[in-house]
Amino acid sequence: MLSVSHITLDGEATLCGVDRFPVVGWKIDSDRRDVLQRSWHLQCSTSADFSALIFDSGEVISAQSSNLELEVTPLLSSTRYYLRVRISDNQGESSGWSPSSELVTGLLDTPWRAEFISAESLSDKAESKATLLRNAFSLSPTKAIAAAWVHATALGIYQLFLNGARVGNDELTPGWTSYRHHLLYQTYDVTGMLNQGENVIGAELGAGWFKGDMGFSRHRNYYGEQTALLCQLVIQYDDGSRQVVGSDRSWRGSDSAREFAEIYDGERFDARRVQVGWSQTDFNDASWRAVSIVDWDNHTLKAQGAGTVRQMERLAAKALIITPQGDKVLDFGQNMSGWVAFRVRGKAGDKVVLRHFETLDANGNVYLDNLRTARQTTEYFLKGEGDETWHPRFSWQGFRYVKVEEFPGELDLSQFTAIVIHSNMAATGHFSCSNPELNQLHHNILWGLKSNFVDVPTDCPQRDERLGWTGDAQIFCRTASYLMQTQTFFAKWLVDLKADQTPEGGVPHVIPDILTGHCDQDKFLAEGGTHSATGWADAAVVNPWTMYLMYGDKRVLENQYASMKGWVDFMQTHSDNDIWRYKLQFGDWVALDAQEGSYFGATPEDLICTAWYANSTQLLAKTAKVLERTDDHRYYDALHERIVERFRQRFFTADGDMTARTQTAHILALCFNLVPDALRERTANTLVELLHQHDGHLVTGFLGTPYFCHALSQNQHPKEAWSLLLKDDFPSWLYQVKAGATTIWEHWDGIKPDGSMWSPDMNSFNHYAYGAVGEWLYRTVAGMEADETAPGFKHIVISPLPGGGLSWMDARYQSIYGDIAVNWQAQKGRVVLTFRIPANTTATVKLPAAREIITGGSLNFAHDNGEWSAHCGSGEYRVEYLPDESVDLTYTD
């Protein structure tokens, strides 16, 4: 039976607040094989029953079911639209109408009739207290409300209230952007929250990223000195008329009971100072002060339809620990980002003080040193009226453990709950296998993403940093996009990357950029500059290309093309005879082959820089080809060839060896195709030698590690790749697992084998970069690979790599077309491979480790270039084969 399970809009299930009509796609279900779409018929309506159509495509003969850009009648602002589709296939079946999907427009081209208002003055620029804003307004007592929407944003962090109830369920809005260039606003349906007659709208504002204390230099007021709210309520009556209520001088302001709120340091809240009913109609605001108007360029405003931060999970406290030093510590069993919610009873003025941290030291005591100057503390003063519940709202903490410094009465674990927050992204990946430690590693990788994808891709969630380091984001981008739907998340961040680039095309180390102009006290950054480090700045090219590869939407390439080109041109401008290097370089950051006391690995910077120069230039050339920019494609393709040739001349000896005998040098040369074909086997064998020199261990850092297993498995060394992954002594991924990690560490030896710690100045235990090995689990172990000639998994390459002594592996990836699933099991000396291909796609199955095909099902395998391969359409398949001698498995009867 043929059906459409659901429609996607810009990759999301629904959108609430858009500036333009989204690209449309849908997922097709069928119980048949080889199903391809023949035609589609899409409708868009302002009514849920589709009686008020604004668009009807009629039947369109086309196989395209993703990334459709439609010419829809000009949209109205503050309006809900419904979409549905039906299709036919190549086997004569037709579907019914799909379930409808919804989108809500923002203000579109309608001018804002509201102003940015503040309850602060310029004298409050050093203040970290929250403020309240409110306004009473009247609606017609005789007209029925058909729909009502509020569009809101803030300079700072805001929460909105209407008639005493909170509006929406987003957190930390409007998020962190390059505010002067790009400020998001949110849209909420408030139809059921309004009364005919009198109403009150209110907001609470905190400093947040906008004016708060940010960065390891601990500066503040990066973007401005006053918090401010912009809010426009649009009421639609059933007679077709509209009423608009906007933030203006008529609003009133006051201080909040939230006396202090900073992202790194936490919050202080005095429940005795709560103004009960402040956002309700019967409240007297005579003692409140007048608001001021804050000037802001409304051209920076852009609607945010999806991807806001949300409360995603709740974790119960696992244990109450009394440390050797006598501290009371709650263990939530998982390193995470979020808050602790608690229930407490006591006298007025009694105090709760909670200090959040990541790990206990070797003696089992509280370890705070790696937080540096971040306090990560919440304080709550009781009102003293029965049970009270509370948690922060305007900061968040990175923690597994909580030191209870003050708490009235006896502690009971049931009084505490950890609330996990991160950007709202659909889960798309699943991986499990017969090795429990690998399963825990995958868990740790996933939780590293959850902890650090809080509106921007941060390096870590706990210390006085939490910055959008471009290197970390670039390294982890492909892994993240298997685990979760990151299309919306990265598209938002890339807008800021483009906005913060230097006029010459240089890319800041962190996005949004708050380092430039604020690093006088940092020796490296003060002398070396705050932009254009290889492997970091290359996020400008790698991330858009990865988004295109995973989701097939050309718009990300179009939107970022000038940024991508700007970065490659910057490198070319500052290269010397096609060898690239520029000011401060992080190189193979924190590699273990670095000199004692240094963060910089042993691989020469000019080699790393030139390798990345070649890689990004090639990706730009490919992008130009996709976008049909023919002249650019020719130019950058030729430039890439020239850089490769120069790399070979400079970094290979006449005898065919690389000039740098480091693991990372060989990894980058192999994975970026910089090795002459005649030397590929030799270079790969040398990499294995270098691995064996360290007893099979890696000594790589941020730029070598993500590619290590790929460099081995793609060059006839799959056993070594598996062995590297499965090492469980220091240094290795599983060393961290065996040490009890629940996320990925910043350093291989964050906690050393003797229990001592790496230097506390930079020792995060929740740092996702080394979790980039997750990409190898999905692309190689599970063998689910995208084809860049048919991106978004329109054509899928299924090429799993059994091994590692495993007896089974099971993986799934929810692509834009549907669920791709791969399972392999080792049974009686053979491998049983089952896989599923979604409708309207095709696949090529490659089995490089197969010696003989026993059962191919309906697939016609051919043997060519040392591997068995077959082509197939959608459906479920089962293949049995005998593996070759390179495959190490534990067989079951």
Side-chain angles (χ1 to χ4, degrees):
M1 181 177 176
L2 184 69
S3 64
V4 175
S5 60
H6 64 276
I7 296 177
T8 59
L9 308 171
D10 286 346
E12 303 285 347
T14 61
L15 295 173
C16 192
V18 294
D19 291 319
R20 49 153 184 76
F21 199 81
V23 297
V24 181
W26 50 85
K27 297 184 179 181
I28 302 169
D29 291 334
S30 176
D31 54 2
R32 298 189 181 192
R33 282 185 175 179
D34 301 320
V35 171
L36 295 172
Q37 180 180 282
R38 174 188 167 274
S39 70
W40 56 268
H41 180 185
L42 187 139
Q43 293 181 336
C44 181
S45 171
T46 55
S47 62
D49 63 0
F50 288 84
S51 61
L53 294 179
I54 67 157
F55 177 82
D56 189 329
S57 69
E59 185 179 29
V60 178
I61 305 302
S62 170
Q64 187 175 0
S65 62
S66 69
N67 297 311
L68 273 81
E69 298 188 55
L70 304 173
E71 294 294 331
V72 177
T73 303
L75 302 175
L76 300 174
S77 65
S78 307
T79 302
R80 188 190 303 273
Y81 294 90
Y82 302 86
L83 286 86
R84 66 180 182 180
V85 69
R86 61 187 179 189
I87 64 168
S88 68
D89 68 15
N90 58 335
Q91 301 187 25
E93 278 201 277
S94 296
S95 75
W97 288 109
S98 68
S100 63
S101 187
E102 301 178 13
L103 69 91
V104 176
T105 51
L107 287 175
L108 302 179
D109 296 325
T110 305
W112 284 83
R113 292 166 58 183
E115 298 176 284
F116 278 95
I117 60 171
S118 178
E120 294 187 322
S121 67
L122 292 177
S123 63
D124 293 318
K125 66 180 183 179
E127 292 290 331
S128 300
K129 63 185 178 183
T131 56
L132 303 176
L133 295 162
R134 78 184 301 271
N135 183 56
F137 61 95
S138 297
L139 301 183
S140 171
T142 59
K143 295 181 181 180
I145 299 169
W149 305 94
V150 65
H151 311 284
T153 188
L155 308 179
I157 293 173
Y158 79 94
Q159 291 198 330
L160 208 59
F161 299 85
L162 193 54
N163 295 324
R166 188 176 167 209
V167 175
N169 56 2
D170 297 331
E171 306 292 352
L172 305 177
T173 48
W176 190 8
T177 54
S178 180
Y179 295 101
R180 294 287 176 181
H181 302 99
H182 176 217
L183 176 60
L184 298 175
Y185 70 89
Q186 291 72 45
T187 297
Y188 301 104
D189 183 350
V190 294
T191 307
M193 302 177 71
L194 289 169
N195 305 315
Q196 289 182 317
E198 294 302 308
N199 294 267
V200 168
I201 187 167
E204 184 176 11
L205 274 68
W209 298 276
F210 182 81
K211 61 161 280 191
D213 185 348
M214 290 293 299
F216 41 76
S217 60
R218 299 308 295 254
H219 286 79
R220 62 182 307 125
N221 305 116
Y222 284 94
Y223 303 99
E225 298 176 344
Q226 289 174 266
T227 58
L229 175 76
L230 180 70
C231 174
Q232 186 157 311
L233 176 62
V234 180
I235 302 99
Q236 303 169 14
Y237 294 108
D238 60 358
D239 65 357
S241 62
R242 287 192 173 197
Q243 180 178 345
V244 175
V245 177
S247 49
D248 59 22
R249 294 180 188 274
S250 68
W251 288 50
R252 306 283 287 169
S254 180
D255 290 340
S256 165
R258 206 174 309 271
E259 299 175 326
F260 177 91
E262 285 283 0
I263 287 174
Y264 297 158
D265 294 331
E267 300 185 24
R268 183 174 67 249
F269 188 93
D270 191 341
R272 298 167 297 180
R273 297 184 57 202
V274 171
Q275 301 183 60
V276 178
W278 68 272
S279 62
Q280 295 176 309
T281 55
D282 55 356
F283 181 81
N284 184 350
D285 63 8
S287 64
W288 286 34
R289 57 186 176 267
V291 299
S292 60
I293 303 299
V294 174
D295 186 45
W296 195 263
D297 182 3
N298 284 0
H299 291 98
T300 63
L301 295 170
K302 180 181 179 181
Q304 182 177 25
T308 50
V309 175
R310 298 275 180 89
Q311 297 183 29
M312 304 302 294
E313 300 177 56
R314 291 179 174 247
L315 304 179
K318 301 293 186 184
L320 174 60
I321 301 168
I322 307 300
T323 71
Q325 293 179 343
D327 292 321
K328 296 177 181 178
V329 172
L330 301 170
D331 179 7
F332 288 93
Q334 174 62 56
N335 207 347
M336 53 164 281
S337 286
W339 307 308
V340 171
F342 57 83
R343 185 182 73 255
V344 65
R345 176 185 287 262
K347 303 186 302 296
D350 280 352
K351 192 175 180 183
V352 175
V353 180
L354 306 179
R355 188 81 186 268
H356 305 71
F357 64 101
E358 288 191 287
T359 191
L360 300 168
D361 67 15
N363 297 317
N365 289 312
V366 174
Y367 182 73
L368 301 175
D369 290 352
N370 72 323
L371 302 180
R372 301 193 303 215
T373 64
R375 292 186 63 243
Q376 285 221 124
T377 300
T378 58
E379 300 178 61
Y380 178 83
F381 293 90
L382 277 66
K383 187 173 185 178
E385 298 179 0
D387 282 349
E388 302 177 45
T389 59
W390 186 84
H391 66 73
R393 290 284 190 182
F394 290 81
S395 67
W396 81 93
Q397 291 76 48
F399 67 100
R400 170 178 171 169
Y401 299 95
V402 173
K403 177 185 176 184
V404 183
E405 295 186 348
E406 294 186 46
F407 195 88
E410 293 296 317
L411 291 181
D412 184 330
L413 290 181
S414 66
Q415 296 172 284
F416 300 91
T417 302
I419 301 175
V420 179
I421 67 166
H422 58 75
S423 293
N424 188 18
M425 302 167 287
T428 53
H430 161 83
F431 179 91
S432 61
C433 67
S434 59
N435 186 322
E437 292 181 347
L438 273 187
N439 295 337
Q440 182 64 43
L441 174 62
H442 182 269
H443 169 100
N444 294 0
I445 295 168
L446 175 61
W447 275 89
L449 182 156
K450 290 179 179 181
S451 302
N452 283 290
F453 278 37
V454 180
D455 203 62
V456 301
T458 58
D459 55 329
C460 57
Q462 75 298 97
R463 68 187 180 216
D464 53 0
E465 197 161 352
R466 312 186 198 186
L467 304 178
W469 283 95
T470 48
D472 304 59
Q474 176 269 123
I475 289 162
F476 193 66
C477 182
R478 188 77 177 273
T479 297
S481 300
Y482 275 107
L483 295 170
M484 287 190 168
Q485 196 279 87
T486 63
Q487 185 176 11
T488 300
F489 177 84
F490 275 121
K492 165 192 173 289
W493 185 72
L494 285 168
V495 170
D496 295 308
L497 187 150
K498 177 170 62 175
D500 283 350
Q501 270 181 275
T502 71
E504 198 181 8
V507 180
H509 303 327
V510 302
I511 300 294
D513 178 20
I514 62 169
L515 296 184
T516 300
H518 296 92
C519 291
D520 294 345
Q521 304 304 313
D522 187 289
K523 176 184 176 182
F524 291 125
L525 297 175
E527 296 178 359
T530 56
H531 67 85
S532 303
T534 282
W536 275 250
D538 294 279
V541 175
V542 172
N543 288 49
W545 180 258
T546 301
M547 292 299 98
Y548 171 68
L549 194 63
M550 295 297 287
Y551 304 111
D553 187 354
K554 289 183 184 179
R555 290 176 312 160
V556 68
L557 300 182
E558 293 165 347
N559 294 340
Q560 299 300 132
Y561 187 76
S563 168
M564 299 169 76
K565 184 175 181 294
W567 169 236
V568 173
D569 288 350
F570 181 94
M571 287 189 285
Q572 185 178 17
T573 297
H574 293 278
S575 66
D576 180 8
N577 190 21
D578 294 322
I579 298 297
W580 146 253
R581 194 191 174 286
Y582 180 83
K583 293 188 177 180
L584 173 66
Q585 296 295 320
F586 300 117
D588 196 22
W589 186 245
V590 296
L592 292 171
D593 58 7
Q595 293 182 1
E596 185 69 27
S598 171
Y599 297 124
F600 304 94
T603 306
E605 289 179 356
D606 56 350
L607 185 154
I608 292 176
C609 290
T610 306
W612 276 96
Y613 179 25
N615 183 58
S616 284
T617 302
Q618 182 179 46
L619 294 182
L620 177 62
K622 290 180 178 181
T623 299
K625 184 176 182 179
V626 169
L627 298 181
E628 299 180 352
R629 299 177 186 243
T630 305
D631 290 344
D632 278 1
H633 172 247
R634 290 197 190 103
Y635 179 83
Y636 290 107
D637 195 46
L639 176 60
H640 170 253
E641 290 183 7
R642 202 169 73 223
I643 298 167
V644 171
E645 182 57 33
R646 186 73 179 94
F647 182 95
R648 292 170 176 174
Q649 293 172 2
R650 176 73 172 268
F651 301 113
F652 280 87
T653 69
D655 294 331
D657 294 321
M658 292 201 73
T659 56
R661 282 188 60 82
T662 67
Q663 293 176 353
T664 291
H666 290 72
I667 290 166
L668 295 181
L670 289 165
C671 288
F672 292 169
N673 293 314
L674 304 173
V675 181
D677 290 343
L679 298 178
R680 176 164 288 273
E681 182 178 357
R682 179 174 182 167
T683 304
N685 289 340
T686 303
L687 175 60
V688 173
E689 290 175 14
L690 294 170
L691 186 62
H692 289 161
Q693 285 178 12
H694 296 278
D695 193 28
H697 292 92
L698 49 72
V699 291
T700 49
F702 270 36
L703 297 186
T705 300
Y707 299 97
F708 209 149
C709 286
H710 295 286
L712 294 168
S713 62
Q714 292 171 5
N715 291 282
Q716 287 72 55
H717 292 286
K719 279 190 173 181
E720 287 83 357
W722 271 110
S723 177
L724 176 64
L725 178 68
L726 295 173
K727 285 285 184 183
D728 61 4
D729 57 343
F730 171 77
S732 67
W733 288 281
L734 298 188
Y735 167 75
Q736 299 177 11
V737 169
K738 291 177 76 70
T742 61
T743 46
I744 301 296
W745 297 351
E746 181 175 17
H747 292 271
W748 297 114
D749 53 350
I751 300 176
K752 299 177 184 293
D754 65 3
S756 63
M757 303 285 186
W758 170 272
S759 172
D761 65 340
M762 194 165 55
N763 195 21
S764 164
F765 294 100
N766 200 344
H767 222 88
Y768 58 68
Y770 287 142
V773 72
E775 179 184 334
W776 193 73
L777 296 178
Y778 282 94
R779 291 179 61 193
T780 304
V781 176
M784 297 187 293
E785 177 67 284
D787 179 350
E788 66 183 49
T789 65
F793 294 88
K794 175 66 173 174
H795 180 258
I796 307 154
V797 178
I798 300 294
S799 185
L801 183 67
L806 273 60
S807 59
W808 62 269
M809 186 284 319
D810 184 77
R812 295 188 300 277
Y813 171 65
Q814 187 64 224
S815 75
I816 61 174
Y817 292 96
D819 202 31
I820 304 168
V822 176
N823 177 287
W824 51 256
Q825 300 184 33
Q827 296 180 0
K828 298 181 179 178
R830 61 186 65 181
V831 174
V832 178
L833 169 67
T834 57
F835 60 93
R836 180 169 64 251
I837 304 300
N840 209 31
T841 68
T842 59
T844 298
V845 185
K846 297 181 179 180
L847 304 175
R851 175 163 49 91
E852 178 185 343
I853 304 296
I854 299 172
T855 302
S858 61
L859 300 180
N860 296 316
F861 279 91
H863 194 265
D864 187 36
N865 292 326
E867 68 180 12
W868 292 93
S869 64
H871 299 284
C872 66
S874 64
E876 296 187 6
Y877 298 88
R878 184 178 189 275
V879 176
E880 293 187 33
Y881 64 89
L882 294 177
D884 64 25
E885 64 280 357
S886 70
V887 177
D888 174 27
L889 292 172
T890 298
Y891 292 98
T892 59
D893 292 335

